[in-house]
Amino acid sequence: MTTTLALLPLFLVLGLLASGRASALAAGLAGLSATLAASAIIVTQQQGAAALVGLFLHETSAGLWLSWHVIAIIAAGMFFHRCQQARGAHANGGILEANPRRLWSVCFLLAPFAESVTGFGVGYIIALAALRRLGLGGMSALLLGLYSQSLVPWGALATGTTVGATLAGLTPNQLGLSSALLQIPIHVLYLALYWRFARDAGFATSLAQKLDDALWTTLLLALVWLFNFYSDVEIAGAAPTALLLAVRFWRDERPDAARLRSALHANAPYVALTLALCATRLVPPLRDFLKPLWAMRPFDNQPAFAPLYAPGFWLVSIGVVVVFLARASIGRVLAETGRGAWRSCAVTLVFVVMAEFYVGSGMATQVAEALRSVAGRDAAASVPLFAAVGGFLTGGGSAANAMLMPMVTALAQAIAVDPAWIAAVQNSVCTNLTMLSPIRVSMGAAILALPVSDAVLYRRAWPLALPPLLAGFAAILVLLARA
C-alpha cells in the first residue's frame, strides 16, 4: 500500500505528460497535489499526525528556497533575451556564404552558447536564425538547430544541474564534473550524426574537415571539464563556447578592423556578460569579495544566494544598460519578460516543491526499495530510461531532475551503487533528451513553418536520442561491474 502511494504521483505526472492533454504546469500541479496527499498518509501512518505540520513547513520552505535559485535565472535570462530583441542586435547581417566551418560553429558553439546564457529554447531560436543566414531551411535546419541543446546540462547557467546536485546531496561542481565526462561519449555520437545531417543538408564534409571538427569538439569538451573543475558550474558552458567562438571567428573570417568593430558592437551585451561572469568566478579577489557578500543560506543542504554574485544580477544589470542605450521601453521589455517567463517559473516551483516532499516524506526511499526488491541491482538499468522519459516530457532539466533525482539517488543507495554517478547519469540523460521534447520540436516546426506531422519530424530526429541513452546505459554497466 505504501509503495503504491509513493509511486502514484510519479506515474500520474508521467501519464498526464505522455497523454498530450496536459501541460507541464497542469501535470506538475496534479503531481504536487497527489504528493501532498500521499505524503500526509504515509507520514501519519509512520510518525503520527503531529509530524505533518513540521513536514509541511520545512519541505515547503526548502522547496521555495531551492526554486528561487532557478527562478531568478529563468526570469533574468528571459529579461536579457528580451533586451537583446529590443536592441535589434540579432539582425546583424544578411545571408552568409555557407561552408562546413561556419555550420560547425553555429551548431556546436554559437547556439549552445546562447542556450547556456539564457536557456529554455532561446538557443534554438538563435540557431534557426543563424542557419537561415547560411541558406538552410526545412527539415535540415530543424535537425541541425537541435544541436543548440547539445550542452544543455549547462543551459540557463546550469539551473538543471544545480537543482539535481542539491537534491542528490552533491555540490553543483561535483555533478558538473561527472556530467562533463559523460558528455564526451555523447558528443562523439552527436558529431557522427552531425556529419550525416550536414551531408543531407548539402554540406560535403571532407576528411580534413572532419578531423578539424573532431579537434575543435575535443577542445570544447576539455574546456567544459576544466571550467567545471576550476570555476563555477554556471559558466562551464558559456565561457568555453564564447572563448572558442572568438578564436574561430578570428581564424575563419580573418576580419579587418571594420568587421571586428561591427562584430563586437553587435555582440557587445554577450561579450560584457561573459566577461562579468568569468571575472566574478575566476578572479580570486573579486570572487572572494562578492560570493559571501550579503549571502543568505537558510538551509545547510542547499546553496547560498549572494545577490551580487548570482548570475541573474549580471543578466539584469547588462540588460538594463542595453535597453537604456537602445532607448527602448523598459515597461514593454518587462511585460514581455513576464509573459515569456511566468510559466517556466511556475513549472519549476511546482516540481521542486514536489521533489522536496518526495524526499522528506520518505516516498523516494519507498520507490527505490520497491525497484530493488523486484529487479535487484539490475534496477539501476532503469535510471537512463526514467531520465530520458523525464527530459523528453518536461522539456527542462530542472523539472526532470526535481521529479526523478530523489528516486534514482535513493535507488543507488539501496543497491549499493555510487549515488554520485547515478546522479550524473540522471542529469546527463534527462537534460540531453530535452532537445527532442515536443516543446522544442514543435517550436522549431512553427518557426520554420514546416507543413509536416510530428510523426514525420520524429522519424528524422529520433537518432539524436541515441547518444545520451547509449552513454547512460554504458555508464550503468560500468558501475555495476565495478560495484
Side-chain angles (χ1 to χ4, degrees):
M1 178 64 179
T2 302
T3 301
T4 302
L5 280 173
L7 283 168
L8 179 61
L10 182 60
F11 285 140
L12 176 62
V13 172
L14 293 176
L16 287 172
L17 289 171
S19 72
R21 298 181 180 181
S23 66
L25 180 56
L29 287 170
L32 177 58
S33 300
T35 300
L36 292 173
S39 61
I41 295 172
I42 291 173
V43 171
T44 300
Q45 290 176 345
Q46 296 178 350
Q47 304 176 37
L52 284 178
V53 175
L55 173 75
F56 180 82
L57 291 176
H58 182 272
E59 302 309 331
T60 301
S61 300
L64 290 173
W65 179 249
L66 180 56
S67 299
W68 163 247
H69 289 267
V70 181
I71 289 171
I73 293 180
I74 294 174
M78 189 59 68
F79 176 76
F80 181 82
H81 174 59
R82 295 296 181 182
C83 292
Q84 276 287 82
Q85 288 187 321
R87 180 177 184 251
H90 60 294
N92 62 346
I95 299 297
L96 292 173
E97 178 189 351
N99 62 57
R101 284 187 173 186
R102 282 182 173 146
L103 184 64
W104 186 92
S105 292
V106 167
C107 293
F108 286 89
L109 294 180
L110 174 64
F113 167 74
E115 188 68 18
S116 294
V117 171
T118 53
F120 308 98
V122 173
Y124 194 18
I125 297 172
I126 292 174
L128 293 178
L131 290 170
R132 280 175 162 177
R133 292 187 67 204
L134 293 178
L136 280 177
M139 187 68 72
S140 293
L142 184 143
L143 292 173
L144 291 167
L146 290 174
Y147 277 82
S148 61
Q149 313 298 297
S150 60
L151 284 178
V152 83
W154 299 272
L157 296 170
T159 53
T161 296
T162 300
V163 168
T166 302
L167 294 173
L170 304 168
T171 67
N173 278 73
Q174 286 175 319
L175 187 55
L177 274 172
S178 50
S179 299
L181 290 177
L182 287 177
Q183 204 65 31
I184 295 173
I186 291 173
H187 255 68
V188 169
L189 297 174
Y190 275 158
L191 190 58
L193 289 172
Y194 161 79
W195 288 327
R196 174 184 144 190
F197 294 146
R199 182 192 63 210
D200 293 343
F203 286 79
T205 307
S206 65
L207 177 59
Q209 184 58 49
K210 287 180 178 179
L211 291 174
D212 186 73
D213 292 345
L215 175 63
W216 283 85
T217 302
T218 301
L219 183 57
L220 171 63
L221 295 173
L223 287 174
V224 168
W225 188 89
L226 287 171
F227 271 90
N228 274 283
F229 189 83
Y230 288 105
S231 183
D232 286 353
V233 69
E234 294 101 322
I235 64 167
T241 48
L243 175 62
L244 293 185
L245 264 175
V247 176
R248 291 272 297 200
F249 177 70
W250 188 268
R251 185 197 74 164
D252 296 343
E253 306 299 332
R254 300 292 182 183
D256 55 21
R259 284 194 65 199
L260 187 58
R261 285 195 299 270
S262 176
L264 287 173
H265 178 265
N267 297 287
Y270 287 114
V271 173
L273 178 63
T274 303
L275 291 175
L277 291 175
C278 288
T280 55
R281 280 143 179 83
L282 297 175
V283 179
L286 188 59
R287 180 191 63 208
D288 296 342
F289 173 71
L290 292 177
K291 195 168 186 178
L293 186 64
W294 302 325
M296 296 169 283
R297 190 174 186 176
F299 299 93
D300 291 337
N301 63 338
Q302 294 199 12
F305 183 82
L308 301 185
Y309 185 77
F313 171 79
W314 299 101
L315 285 162
V316 171
S317 299
I318 294 171
V320 168
V321 173
V322 167
V323 172
F324 175 77
L325 293 177
R327 298 182 181 179
S329 169
I330 189 69
R332 186 180 67 183
V333 170
L334 288 172
E336 291 173 347
T337 299
R339 287 193 297 269
W342 79 267
R343 187 175 295 275
S344 295
C345 293
V347 168
T348 297
L349 176 66
V350 167
F351 275 105
V352 171
V353 173
M354 176 181 166
E356 287 291 339
F357 273 92
Y358 238 86
V359 175
S361 65
M363 289 196 294
T365 303
Q366 290 284 344
V367 173
E369 286 294 333
L371 286 171
R372 183 190 62 79
S373 64
V374 171
R377 298 181 73 250
D378 292 338
S382 67
V383 172
L385 291 176
F386 275 116
V389 171
F392 175 81
L393 293 178
T394 64
S398 298
N401 272 337
M403 181 171 63
L404 295 169
M405 189 64 81
M407 182 194 73
V408 299
T409 51
L411 173 62
Q413 293 167 352
I415 61 177
V417 174
D418 188 355
W421 276 105
I422 289 291
V425 171
Q426 158 65 29
N427 184 59
S428 297
V429 175
C430 88
T431 51
N432 278 276
L433 256 294
T434 61
M435 73 161 55
L436 286 177
S437 71
I439 299 168
R440 295 288 181 274
V441 174
S442 61
M443 178 174 69
I447 292 173
L448 296 169
L450 290 180
V452 294
S453 67
D454 287 350
V456 173
L457 296 176
Y458 278 111
R459 275 201 294 271
R460 292 290 306 278
W462 74 266
L464 287 168
L466 292 177
L469 276 172
L470 292 175
F473 282 120
I476 293 296
L477 290 176
V478 172
L479 287 173
L480 290 177
R482 293 175 58 186

